[in-house]
Every structure is written in structure tokens, then in C-alpha cells.
Amino acid sequence: MPLNRRKFLEKSAVTGAGVALAGAVSAPGAQAAEAKRGAKRYAFTVLGTTDLHGNVFNWDYFTDKEFDDKDHNDVGLAKVSTLVNRVREEKGRRNTLLIDAGDTIQGTQLSYYYAKVDPITAQGGPVHPMAQAMNAMEYDAAALGNHEFNYGIPVLRKFEQQCRFPLLGANALDAKTLRPAFAPYSMHRLRTPHGRDVKVAVLGLTNPGIAIWDKANVQGKMTFPGLEEQAAKWVPKLRSMGADVVIVSAHSGSSGTSSYGDQLPYIENAAALVAEQVPGIDAILVGHAHTEIPEYFVANKKTDKKVVLSEPLKWGQRLTLFDFELVWEKGCWKVEKVGAKVLNSNTVEEDPKITKLLGDEHEKVVAYVNQVIGTNAAEMTSAEAPYKDVPIIDLINHIQADTVKQALAGTEHAALPVLSQAACFSRSARIPAGQVTIRDVAGLYVFENTLEARLMTGAQMKAYLEYSANYFVQTAPDAPVDPAKLTNANGTPDYNYDVVSGLAYEIDIAKPAGSRVTNVRFEGQPLADDAQFVFAVNNYRANGGGNFPHVAAARMLWSNSDEIRNTMIAWVKAKGSIDPAAFAGVDWKLTRNGTPVF
């Protein structure tokens, strides 16, 4: 869908000009402080969510039951809505703002259903459940996340139209004009009892990695410069427009690291760098990293002013509260104090207003995911997948390799052997013996990745395996092995540990990272460096996600626009049955000085 410059200007004129009004009375605490100290003071609260990923209900569509984890967290906007209602009642509705830091419309089968099965883009199509819920909760603004682009720009634009609040992305630019493709900011007025309103600016920043991760959807249409660069451009503008308070909603973690190495000149997790480098920011709502940061202060290097950062836990498990205290000095409002904390959504019940609003949509998706599509000869689980070669991961690789072989049939590369990569996305994935449903298969592949085929050599595959093996914690030959402490070295997530099918190899965890992979064989023989292979790989990895070596620069032989999840569902439907005996085997294992660990 082409970018509509006229509509953007109309929208940004509204969201950027400061028409959002909130407040007729100040918070009770501010009034008491004024009476006590004799100064004009005002207090308000900004509530923040991030990485909601399509979670409205406290429900796991992959297990078909109420969500639960080892920490007994709850998820979903229905829970968050109850927290929001309580805070608004305590602070005064007009002394609050509600914002989000992105990754809203992808992640659950609920959000998938309304992007692909009953798409919001269809003529007379439905309103996206996330738009309905967030509108009902009266969000004031939301930053764009990288996963907003997973379903393509038309779906995102339709979602934007359905939202009664602006989607912000100061560093999401039209590729031709280099002008903002979305509203960069929104301005909100909070009315005080002291005459002049407080003007609060919310600047939205998204993740530069979109250019890599969703290259197929955005290349030639949008470009995504760095957060620090765009914040430095916009924050002074917002101050010159009279903003008393500047809040950044950034879909970017705080670690200062990138998963895509040097493929882009911009930092992926740049929130703390923005606070350090750009003067004039009071608070940053952090997203993207899926970590919990209740309150974190960063000193700006130019002014030494402390900027408060907070990241609520993903999926609506937490709600951030930024509490601001302002004082009237020399004819303007000054931030005297600001702090942050998070509230846990497992302490409240779901808001019946939200559950009633979207009950029909929820039931439709539950019925959809419980459709039977085949049978399975033996139960498969992913519980041990991070450290053992298990059939359930072999199934992913088997389907991917089979799909690529069929796609390349009759081409010049049809005779080349096909290797495939897969990772454990969920340690709770399970395909039962007997009947298999859509949710059983979908639960094995929870991301919206698509499939590609790249041309790789034996030497490149060895380097790829070696990089993947960094996932394991170095463990001495005589040390006890605790599977719970064996993986995720240096914070490496499960989804960045790739298993490769079509090769046999060992990973010696007694050796230091970089020299662990041994005895790599293809069809029983040592792998030759100059051997050529077709590598079935997901688009996230192929486009540089995880910064694995060689694959991003490798020649693309084929690509598919359908999600791997859908490919797997279609494969099971077509076959009618799954038999692990037909594809499962132990191709890789962990060792210590040649002795198997398990």
C-alpha cells in the first residue's frame, strides 16, 4: 500500500499539535503539597505497557487453557485494564496518560487470526481485537514495534486507521522522501488548578532492525535510522513547542547491544544511549527486550540530569507507572521529581468490560485452533530440546527440508543436498499421540517467520554450528551437569540456538566457546569445506537475526511468503499423519572430551 502523505499530514497535525486534553483537577497529593509548601505544584502519572503481542485474555491458545508459567504470571490487556482503572481512580482520570512501546499486533493466535484467517484488511473486515481493547482502555499513544511490520504495511495501516490513538514512529521514514511515515510524536495537555496547562510530549521511536527482520515488507518503502539520531532531532523541537515534559516511548532495549552485528550502523537496544546522549528527556518507556526493569536511572552526559527508564514485562504481565511531580518556577512548569515502578497483573481479575467486548472473537479463535488436522504415532515434546536432539525439533527441520526440496525440483540446484535449521521456541511445546490440532502444530512455531533457501558451503556450515554452540555454558569434564544451568550462556535466548539437520556433529561443552564443534559429518564422511548445500532457513536468521555468520550474505535460491507455521499445518493436513520414526534421529549430541553428556 503506498504511503498517503496527505493523510499523514492530517493525522500528525492532530496528534502533534497538542489537542489531547486531560485533566480538570490536580491529584489530591499535589493539592496537599501546594497547601503545605505554598508553591504551585502538580502531580500526574503516565502508565505504560509494551510487547503485548496480541494478548487480550489471560489465555494460552497453544495449550487451550488459562495462561500460567513457573512464576504464576498472568497476561493480557483485560488484566492490565483493571490495573489501569484502579490507578485512574486513585490519581484522578484526568491526571493520567496511558501509552505503549510497541509489538502489539503479532504473537498469539488471536492476533494471527485477524491478520490472516479473517483479516482486518478484507472488504468490510473486522476491527482488530487489539484496536478494540486499546480503544476501550483509552490509550493516548503507542510506539511502533518491529513486529507491527510482520504482516506487511497494509495490515499495519489498517490497524492504524482502527486505533483512536496515534501510532508513533519518529524514525520510521518514507524511503523516498525521508519524511516521517507515521506521526513522530503526540502532545497532551493536562489541566491544572494553577492556570497554565502542563504540556506532555510523547516521542515514539521504533527499532532499526525492522530493515533486516522485515526486509521483504519494507525494502524500498520505509527506512529506519537510529534512535539517538532521531531523538536528538525531535526532542529540541518538542521543547521549543512548549513541552514541559518529554517522554520517549522506545521499542528498543536498554543494553546497548545488537543481535544483527554490523549489518546496520544503528544500535538495536539503544534506550539507555538515548537517555545518555540526548538532553531534554524526562522518562523513557522501554520495550523490545522482554525484560522487567521497574526503575532505572541514566545520567545524561551533557547535563548530568537523571533520566528514569522503565520496562514492564511482556504480554501485559506488568504495568509501568511513571509518577511525575512538577513545580511552577519562573513562569513555567519544571519536573521536580519523577520515579517509576511496575504493577503485577496477576494481582487483579480481568476487566469484564474487555472480556465482554471481545468474547466472540476469543471463541472464534479457540474453535479455529482446535480443528483436528491429522494424527501422530507417538507423543513429542520440547522439554529437553535445548540440550538434546529430540523428534519435535526434527519435525520442523524435516518439513522445512521437504518443502525446499519440492520448491527447487527441476532447477539447477535440485541435486544439492538440503540442510535445515530450527530452534526451540517454546520449552512447553507438545504434539500428543493421537489426534493433532492446529494449535498443537502452531505451538511448536510461535513466530511469524517465513522460509528461505540459501547456498552455503561446508566451511560456512561449520562456522554456523560453532557460533550456535556459544549457547552452552562451559562445563568441566568432571563437573556435575545441571540441565537448568547448562544453556543460555551470556543471555543467549533459546531461539538463538540453532539445530541443523542433515549433518552429524558433536558439541564439546568442556571446551571454550569458539572451539566446541567436532566430528562434523555428512552422510558418514567428514564434512568437506568446499561441499555445497542448500540451507533451509527462516527469514529472521537469513536476514541477520542473531548475527549468525555467512547466512545473511549467502546467495538466496528461493523464498516463500507464507509463514513456516502455516507450511507445517498444511504439511500435516496433506500427509494426514505424523510418524516420528520416519524422520527422527540423533544427529547431534553434547560431549565432554568425547564422552556424551546425556
Side-chain angles (χ1 to χ4, degrees):
M1 178 182 293
L3 301 178
N4 191 316
R5 177 68 182 159
R6 180 183 62 81
K7 287 186 178 180
F8 164 69
L9 287 172
E10 290 172 354
K11 189 159 198 172
S12 62
V14 174
T15 59
V19 300
L21 292 178
V25 294
S26 64
Q31 292 173 333
E34 177 192 355
K36 183 177 179 180
R37 304 180 194 178
K40 294 180 179 179
R41 285 186 161 79
Y42 176 69
F44 70 96
T45 298
V46 176
L47 304 94
T49 55
T50 191
D51 296 279
L52 293 168
H53 283 287
N55 285 280
V56 173
F57 297 87
N58 186 40
W59 192 260
D60 186 340
Y61 293 97
F62 297 129
T63 61
D64 199 28
K65 60 185 179 182
E66 187 173 291
F67 178 88
D68 194 23
D69 63 14
K70 62 182 179 62
D71 298 316
H72 302 298
N73 288 303
D74 288 345
V75 300
L77 277 174
K79 289 269 186 173
V80 173
S81 184
T82 300
L83 291 175
V84 169
N85 292 339
R86 290 187 178 184
V87 174
R88 284 172 171 167
E89 183 177 357
E90 176 191 349
K91 306 286 185 180
R93 169 67 183 91
R94 296 175 177 179
N95 301 308
T96 64
L97 295 172
L98 176 59
I99 65 175
D100 183 79
D103 275 6
T104 303
I105 60 171
Q106 174 277 335
T108 64
Q109 286 294 283
L110 181 71
S111 54
Y112 176 82
Y113 187 89
Y114 288 98
K116 290 290 188 177
V117 181
D118 185 11
I120 61 174
T121 49
Q123 186 71 29
V127 177
H128 199 288
M130 294 301 287
Q132 291 192 58
M134 295 173 81
N135 288 340
M137 292 170 64
E138 298 182 344
Y139 268 78
D140 293 286
L144 294 164
N146 55 285
H147 284 288
E148 259 66 83
F149 294 84
N150 284 174
Y151 297 118
I153 293 174
V155 170
L156 175 54
R157 286 299 188 193
K158 187 64 177 180
F159 175 70
E160 181 188 26
Q161 292 172 15
Q162 294 176 343
C163 292
R164 295 200 293 265
F165 52 90
L167 298 185
L168 308 178
N171 63 326
L173 309 182
D174 182 290
K176 294 180 180 177
T177 66
L178 297 183
R179 294 174 178 173
F182 295 84
Y185 66 92
S186 58
M187 192 79 80
H188 310 267
R189 292 183 181 269
L190 302 178
R191 192 160 294 162
T192 79
H194 304 300
R196 180 180 151 180
D197 298 340
V198 172
K199 293 179 70 175
V200 182
V202 179
L203 178 67
L205 297 170
T206 192
N207 206 286
I210 295 166
I212 290 177
W213 305 321
D214 270 299
K215 182 178 179 180
N217 291 327
V218 302
Q219 188 174 33
K221 300 173 184 176
M222 293 186 193
T223 185
F224 303 88
L227 284 83
E228 308 99 305
E229 167 194 325
Q230 294 301 303
K233 173 183 176 180
W234 284 101
V235 171
K237 289 185 179 182
L238 296 174
R239 289 293 183 182
S240 69
M241 292 165 59
D244 301 296
V245 179
V246 173
I247 300 166
V248 174
S249 184
H251 194 74
S252 180
S254 61
S255 65
T257 60
S258 292
S259 68
Y260 43 71
D262 59 0
Q263 295 180 75
L264 288 177
Y266 313 115
I267 299 297
E268 176 183 350
N269 296 300
L273 296 175
V274 171
E276 280 185 355
Q277 297 176 19
V278 182
I281 297 169
D282 296 295
I284 300 179
L285 178 64
V286 179
H288 183 62
H290 289 202
T291 58
E292 182 177 343
I293 305 174
E295 181 181 61
Y296 174 45
F297 288 95
V298 174
N300 184 269
K301 290 183 176 180
K302 296 180 181 178
T303 66
D304 204 36
K305 174 186 172 182
K306 296 287 182 64
V307 182
V308 64
L309 283 68
S310 181
E311 181 177 5
L313 199 57
K314 64 185 184 298
W315 305 346
Q317 294 179 39
R318 303 289 186 274
L319 173 70
T320 279
L321 270 63
F322 291 107
D323 288 312
F324 287 86
E325 295 180 18
L326 276 60
V327 62
W328 182 265
E329 287 183 354
K330 299 178 181 179
C332 62
W333 289 107
K334 300 288 186 184
V335 175
E336 187 175 48
K337 182 181 179 183
V338 59
K341 63 181 179 181
V342 295
L343 302 181
N344 194 329
S345 66
N346 73 3
T347 62
V348 297
E349 297 299 317
E350 292 183 319
D351 183 350
K353 174 183 174 181
I354 303 300
T355 56
K356 183 179 180 181
L357 177 69
L358 292 164
D360 289 346
E361 287 85 346
H362 173 68
E363 291 303 323
K364 281 183 182 178
V365 176
V366 168
Y368 164 74
V369 299
N370 280 291
Q371 292 179 53
V372 174
I373 56 174
T375 60
N376 179 31
E379 181 185 53
M380 298 181 286
T381 76
S382 63
E384 297 181 319
Y387 48 89
K388 288 184 180 179
D389 188 345
V390 295
I392 201 166
I393 303 299
D394 291 340
L395 175 62
I396 300 174
N397 277 325
H398 180 68
I399 293 173
Q400 290 182 165
D402 192 35
T403 301
V404 168
K405 287 175 184 175
Q406 292 183 42
L408 294 180
T411 71
E412 62 177 307
H413 299 101
L416 289 179
V418 177
L419 311 179
S420 178
Q421 63 80 220
C424 176
F425 294 147
S426 169
R427 297 193 184 198
S428 60
R430 171 181 173 269
I431 298 182
Q435 290 187 333
V436 176
T437 63
I438 285 177
R439 68 176 173 83
D440 293 327
V441 179
L444 182 55
Y445 213 105
V446 299
F447 294 111
E448 319 298 335
N449 296 337
T450 58
L451 188 60
E452 297 187 10
R454 299 278 178 133
L455 187 63
M456 298 276 280
T457 68
Q460 290 173 334
M461 290 308 307
K462 289 177 185 177
Y464 191 99
L465 293 172
E466 193 65 66
Y467 182 87
S468 188
N470 293 342
Y471 172 73
F472 295 102
V473 175
Q474 187 174 4
T475 308
D478 57 350
V481 175
D482 180 358
K485 299 178 180 178
L486 185 61
T487 62
N488 307 100
N490 300 312
T492 303
D494 290 347
Y495 62 76
N496 273 347
Y497 171 58
D498 281 2
V499 169
V500 173
S501 73
L503 299 175
Y505 56 98
E506 298 174 7
I507 300 173
D508 193 329
I509 59 173
K511 295 181 178 179
S515 58
R516 291 175 169 172
V517 176
T518 62
N519 199 25
V520 185
R521 294 179 172 269
F522 173 68
E523 294 184 343
Q525 300 299 316
L527 179 63
D529 286 348
D530 61 353
Q532 286 196 320
F533 299 94
V534 175
F535 191 32
V537 59
N538 69 54
N539 68 306
Y540 172 78
R541 189 70 78 233
N543 289 330
N547 201 29
F548 277 61
H550 304 301
V551 65
R555 179 184 172 189
M556 181 191 291
L557 305 180
W558 172 84
S559 67
N560 186 11
S561 61
D562 204 12
E563 289 89 354
I564 293 171
R565 175 194 296 151
N566 270 358
T567 299
M568 294 173 61
I569 291 169
W571 187 91
V572 175
K573 279 184 176 179
K575 298 291 183 182
S577 63
I578 302 170
D579 184 3
F583 56 79
V586 179
D587 295 321
W588 67 273
K589 58 187 175 183
L590 301 184
T591 64
R592 289 187 291 184
N593 291 344
T595 302
V597 175
F598 299 106

